[in-house]
Amino acid sequence: MPSESSAPSSPSGLSRLRSPWHLWRIHGDGRSIAPGEVVAPGERLTWPRTVGIGVQHVVAMFGATFLVPLLTGFDPSTTLFFTGLGTLLFLGITSGRLPSYLGSSFALIAPIGAVTGYVAGGGGPIDAHKASLAQGGVIAAGAALALVGAVVHIAGAGWIDRLMPPIVTGAIVSLIGFNLAPSAWNNVKSAPVTALVTIVSILLITVLFKGIIGRLAILLGVLIGYVTACLRGEVDFSAISHAGWVGAPAFRAPAFDVTLLGLFVPVVLVLVAENIGHVKSVSAMTGENLDDVTGRALLADGLSTMLAGTGGGSGTTTYAENIGVMAATRVYSTAAYVVAALTALGLSLLPKFGQIIATIPAGVLGGAATILYGMIGMLGVRIWVQNRVDFSDPVNLNTAAVAMVVAIADYTWQWGEMTFSGIALGSVSAIAIYHAMRWVSKARGTNLEQASPASAPAGTELEGPAYATRHSKHGS
């Protein structure tokens, strides 16, 4: 029988589902949260407390969100503007039922860099025309994600699981992170001492501190690295004095080239995985069934990404950092996210603030990127572990093996005027190899043969269908 917190028939559950997204009921006395309780998306604490938590969400997403424009050459203030606007759009489309801040997506760094050729700390600004072409790619990725969202809303998410089982999803998420490794190394080489200080700081803060401080390890590590860079004379402050105090961000129109779309569309697979994971995480922590919001969440993130691409911002996605803040505070109120979005919009209208962010040098970026890119790669591995993917199965083993090497080595394929690079080829390889090998192995019965000696037995392969079938045959 469903629990009271998740049952639609309960008065509490019904009021949460029907509450308009712009109105929030006061939780309890508005000042405290009883043990075992959470502040639901349709509730809020007192406004001073809600504002404080909202600002906390801005701080949580800050470090990772700003690294994307700094690494791609996009304008930080413009990116921040579209994350705030995108968050408001997301909350509106999901009717305020799904708390989320849409920060910058790291999955888009590689295709943007492939188009622009921009190198952080390389000594020159980004080429405006190439940046516009990259924005066109961001819009295409957003449109594809919105389309997936519309299909999921109508047909459900089951087809995604069939198209991309855990072995495929994990491979695609991993290869995007590891494909970015050379970019991180290029930044580290420019200032290895500063990069090392940044890396060590992030790692130590993560394990030394509990609660919100530990969850802000990336932001605090970047600040320590920035101070180190200042002491070593690696920061140029000249642009700050020339910037105004108040002003609109710098917007830039997109341009389109169909030959570049192959770089961006595979990123949609990662954005889908991130959004579905976010829905499941919030659902588990609040006790509310949010499966019916999945399609709208994907649609909202797709539209937000398209919106960002039209004006010069990088694509958006849900943020694990903000999940951490919700888990630490037990406050899932979407009112706090409205505050966070408005705070981000306000900061984006302060040009001096944007220029301060832009002064973060390559060494600091390289140190933070070393960890963040690696985290993206390891998120894919976590998908394999959590779903107990059986690598004694040669289909799974070869799916991951080929896709990872293609992406890490950055294979490139020229087809007419279109160019497909490591991430695109690796993603397509993972899907195609898995389904083709699985179909042939079932047709030939080779899925029942003994596991390859090259696999590393860990016990889980003894629970798979192949072993179970062989065991029943031998035992009969």
Side-chain angles (χ1 to χ4, degrees):
M1 195 166 72
S3 64
E4 183 180 359
S5 62
S6 61
S9 59
S10 70
S12 173
L14 187 61
S15 63
R16 290 178 187 177
L17 293 178
R18 290 182 177 175
S19 295
W21 78 271
H22 55 286
L23 297 176
W24 301 273
R25 294 175 289 105
I26 298 292
H27 177 87
D29 61 4
R31 294 178 175 82
S32 60
I33 308 172
E37 291 187 356
V38 298
V39 179
E43 300 175 332
R44 66 171 175 86
L45 299 176
T46 60
W47 279 115
R49 289 171 173 79
T50 299
V51 169
I53 293 171
V55 173
Q56 231 177 15
H57 279 298
V58 175
V59 174
M61 66 85 193
F62 205 80
T65 286
F66 267 120
L67 282 175
V68 176
L70 293 175
L71 291 167
T72 58
F74 280 25
D75 186 87
S77 293
T78 307
T79 296
L80 185 61
F81 176 86
F82 283 110
T83 64
L85 200 60
T87 298
L88 292 177
L89 178 66
F90 185 94
L91 295 174
I93 292 176
T94 58
S95 301
R97 291 181 56 199
L98 185 62
S100 176
Y101 191 95
L102 296 187
S104 301
S105 172
F106 272 77
L108 285 159
I109 292 178
I112 290 174
V115 173
T116 64
Y118 177 80
V119 178
I126 191 171
D127 181 273
H129 177 63
K130 291 180 179 179
S132 295
L133 290 173
Q135 289 172 228
V138 171
I139 293 174
L145 180 61
L147 178 61
V148 171
V151 174
V152 168
H153 185 66
I154 296 171
W159 63 276
I160 295 178
D161 295 329
R162 291 189 292 273
L163 176 66
M164 296 189 301
I167 176 61
V168 174
T169 304
I172 292 173
V173 173
S174 281
L175 65 83
I176 286 181
F178 295 139
N179 176 266
L180 291 167
S183 174
W185 171 235
N186 288 333
N187 286 327
V188 169
K189 286 190 294 186
S190 66
V193 173
T194 301
L196 183 60
V197 169
T198 304
I199 293 171
V200 172
S201 298
I202 293 173
L203 298 179
L204 286 179
I205 292 171
T206 300
V207 295
L208 284 176
F209 299 98
K210 299 178 180 179
I212 190 63
I213 295 180
R215 297 182 189 278
L216 296 179
I218 292 174
L219 174 63
L220 297 176
V222 166
L223 290 175
I224 294 173
Y226 187 79
V227 172
T228 303
C230 290
L231 295 176
R232 294 177 58 83
E234 298 168 357
V235 182
D236 181 7
F237 297 101
S238 59
I240 299 176
S241 59
H242 297 97
W245 286 101
V246 179
F251 298 114
R252 181 177 52 236
F256 298 91
D257 186 344
V258 68
T259 63
L260 301 175
L261 297 185
L263 296 169
F264 289 87
V265 174
V267 170
V268 174
L269 303 178
V270 180
L271 299 178
V272 168
E274 288 176 336
N275 277 275
I276 291 178
H278 182 84
V279 172
K280 290 180 178 179
S281 295
V282 174
S283 181
M285 291 187 289
T286 61
E288 293 188 7
N289 187 348
L290 298 171
D291 287 349
D292 61 311
V293 188
T294 302
R296 281 193 278 167
L298 294 167
L299 173 64
D301 191 10
L303 294 177
S304 173
T305 296
M306 292 178 67
L307 184 63
T310 60
S314 53
T316 60
T317 189
T318 55
Y319 254 45
E321 287 87 343
N322 297 101
I323 285 282
V325 173
M326 287 190 286
T329 61
R330 291 186 290 147
V331 175
Y332 299 87
S333 171
T334 49
Y337 280 96
V338 171
V339 171
L342 295 176
T343 302
L345 288 172
L347 291 174
S348 72
L349 300 178
L350 304 176
K352 281 191 181 295
F353 177 77
Q355 287 300 328
I356 291 173
I357 299 300
T359 61
I360 298 177
V364 178
L365 298 177
T370 298
I371 294 177
L372 286 170
Y373 294 169
M375 282 183 176
I376 296 174
M378 295 311 296
L379 282 176
V381 176
R382 187 175 71 174
I383 291 174
W384 291 336
V385 173
Q386 288 178 334
N387 291 277
R388 307 185 75 183
V389 172
D390 180 9
F391 281 102
S392 69
D393 183 339
V395 175
N396 291 340
L397 188 63
N398 285 284
T399 296
V402 175
M404 296 297 287
V405 171
V406 167
I408 293 174
D410 203 20
Y411 284 28
T412 303
W413 178 41
Q414 192 83 25
W415 183 39
E417 294 184 352
M418 299 187 70
T419 300
F420 300 92
S421 62
I423 290 180
L425 293 178
S427 300
V428 172
S429 297
I431 296 174
I433 290 172
Y434 174 81
H435 289 287
M437 289 188 69
R438 184 64 70 205
W439 181 82
V440 173
S441 69
K442 286 183 178 179
R444 295 285 297 155
T446 53
N447 61 318
L448 302 180
E449 290 186 357
Q450 186 67 33
S452 165
S455 62
T460 56
E461 67 273 12
L462 301 182
E463 303 167 11
Y467 177 84
T469 305
R470 290 198 304 270
H471 182 71
S472 62
K473 285 184 177 180
H474 290 310
S476 59

